[in-house]
Amino acid sequence: MSTIRIAAAAAHFGRDLDFDLARIAKLIDDARALGTGLLVLPDAALGGYLADLRHPDPEALPPPSNRTTR
């Protein structure tokens, strides 16, 4: 039986998707360097939390990302 290192990230994520994606990339790189096989991110890592899930304010939604797909 082999072992797998599991890590969980606790960090603030907001509405700036480009910043969030860069932060996630850094967390993945750091976890990989430590030999992590599974990294768990917060449930709202892309765009932060919405205050009202039933009737979200369109102004509170995260903006689209400016990143291009690789």
Side-chain angles (χ1 to χ4, degrees):
M1 174 182 272
S2 63
T3 59
I4 184 170
R5 182 180 297 232
I6 299 172
H12 172 75
F13 292 92
R15 296 288 183 244
D16 185 341
L17 290 180
D18 292 324
F19 179 82
D20 292 343
L21 289 169
R23 173 171 272 171
I24 290 168
K26 173 80 167 97
L27 289 167
I28 291 169
D29 289 343
D30 291 348
R32 186 177 288 145
L34 294 171
T36 301
L38 173 65
L39 174 63
V40 180
L41 298 171
D43 57 348
L46 293 176
Y49 290 96
L50 296 176
D52 185 350
L53 294 177
R54 292 183 185 193
H55 307 288
D57 177 5
E59 297 297 317
L61 297 175
S65 173
N66 293 328
R67 288 185 174 236
T68 58
T69 307
R70 291 187 212 183

